[in-house]
Amino acid sequence: MSAKYYANFLPKHFDNFDCLKLAPGIYIILLFILRAYIIWIMSVTNMRDHVGMIQWVFPQTALFYLNLASGVIGLFVVLILSLRRPKAQAWVRICWRKCKMLLIIALTFDLLVGVLGYFIWQLQSIPWLLMHCSLVISAIAYILSSKRLTINIAEFPEALPEK
């Protein structure tokens, strides 16, 4: 990447491998995609009521299980993020280059689950579905328009020479 892409960033925006730190939007999008897993972990760690948290957020258990299924791609992206380091295997590099597409597929699949949940199984209300749709469209627009995310995808950490 040329220097003009990095002109707006300060040294604090770079990590130990001279790569631009990941865009905060990636983490927010992953939190959205993985919300069922986050609720599941929170409910498991609750010593008094293991199911209460899940039932509060997902009144229909079918919707919870469908959201767990839609979050699998998000779990894969988290795996790629955690393996993104110098000397990573070739498949990690290849998958990292596809992270934008993987996030868009995960968001689209998540929306499809919500739409199917509404139209086939009547698991959601129309205001909830509209909010879900607007969040997914906003997240996809961010992924496609974020210059920082584009730089993040283009870079991959390399070992720096010792000084």
Side-chain angles (χ1 to χ4, degrees), residues 5-158:
Y5 292 107
Y6 297 102
N8 296 328
F9 299 106
L10 300 172
K12 69 178 181 179
H13 293 123
F14 293 88
D15 62 14
N16 296 338
F17 303 106
D18 284 341
C19 289
L20 193 61
K21 290 182 183 175
L22 293 177
I26 291 176
Y27 299 113
I28 295 168
I29 290 170
L30 284 172
L31 284 174
F32 178 74
I33 294 170
L34 298 172
R35 66 191 177 280
Y37 286 96
I38 293 167
I39 298 299
W40 180 46
I41 290 170
M42 289 171 57
S43 70
V44 168
T45 58
N46 184 357
M47 295 300 173
R48 286 180 270 151
D49 186 11
H50 292 293
V51 185
M53 176 82 67
I54 295 172
Q55 289 176 340
W56 182 65
V57 177
F58 298 101
Q60 300 90 359
T61 54
L63 190 59
F64 171 69
Y65 292 124
L66 288 171
N67 275 282
L68 284 176
S70 71
V72 170
I73 300 170
L75 286 176
F76 183 71
V77 172
V78 169
L79 174 69
I80 297 302
L81 279 173
S82 66
L83 295 175
R84 183 182 173 258
R85 60 178 63 112
K87 299 180 184 176
Q89 295 181 1
W91 69 271
V92 175
R93 291 176 181 270
I94 293 168
C95 291
W96 176 249
R97 300 274 183 235
K98 309 276 186 219
C99 262
K100 269 187 172 183
M101 180 187 62
L102 288 171
L103 287 171
I104 291 172
I105 290 170
L107 287 163
T108 306
F109 185 62
D110 187 68
L111 181 61
L112 178 67
V113 164
V115 169
L116 289 176
Y118 175 75
F119 285 110
I120 295 177
W121 301 295
Q122 290 77 36
L123 295 177
Q124 293 182 346
S125 65
I126 200 73
W128 178 257
L129 185 64
L130 291 173
M131 183 184 69
H132 189 170
C133 192
S134 65
L135 286 172
V136 168
I137 290 170
S138 299
I140 290 174
Y142 171 78
I143 290 169
L144 294 175
S145 66
S146 173
K147 289 181 171 86
R148 185 169 181 169
L149 183 55
T150 302
I151 293 171
N152 289 143
I153 297 298
E155 295 180 326
F156 199 87
E158 297 292 335

